[in-house]
Amino acid sequence: MGFADCVDTSNSLRCRKAGVLIAGQGPFEAAVDLRGGGGRKGFSGLTLWHDTDQGAPFAVQPELEARGWVLCRTGTERAGDQNIWTRPGAPVRYSIDMSYWGKRRIRILLENGTPPGPCL
């Protein structure tokens, strides 16, 4: 899938790719995380960010809503707050930083069936 520049430890594999589009938005920088040495234990998460536009991750949200994803805001735009997007039956959830330190991220994480926390 074009991911390269990999770092392999005994616990995980992380590979990067530039120019990634998601929900018709981007291009973003991306890093895919796989569990286990060499990624043998499968997908852990995908992180996307834009190097110069901290607002770019928010452009994905209208597309998620149009496709039936439901928003849960975990805070009031203070440090660490997230917009969590879920959809019944989906194997993943989207987590978009509302506040940020460094680069605002979009993370696509495996759905673990737990509520994202109190929704505001």
Side-chain angles (χ1 to χ4, degrees), residues 1 3 7 11-17 20 22 29-36 39 41-49 91-95 105-112:
M1 295 185 58
F3 283 83
V7 175
N11 296 328
S12 66
L13 175 69
R14 172 172 263 205
C15 300
R16 296 200 39 190
K17 182 177 181 180
V20 174
I22 183 167
E29 299 293 316
V32 65
D33 293 303
L34 303 170
R35 297 174 300 189
K41 293 185 179 179
F43 179 80
S44 177
L46 177 68
T47 304
L48 301 107
W49 65 95
V92 296
R93 67 173 58 181
Y94 289 79
S95 175
R105 307 164 296 169
I106 301 168
R107 291 180 298 149
I108 302 172
L109 305 168
L110 287 175
E111 179 57 66
N112 61 11

Side-chain angles (χ1 to χ4, degrees), residues 43-77:
F43 179 80
S44 177
L46 177 68
T47 304
L48 301 107
W49 65 95
H50 195 285
D51 275 337
T52 60
D53 182 358
Q54 295 302 318
F58 291 133
V60 172
Q61 295 184 127
E63 297 297 325
L64 293 173
E65 184 175 24
R67 296 174 187 187
W69 292 81
V70 177
L71 172 63
C72 170
R73 294 183 70 164
T74 65
T76 57
E77 299 186 25

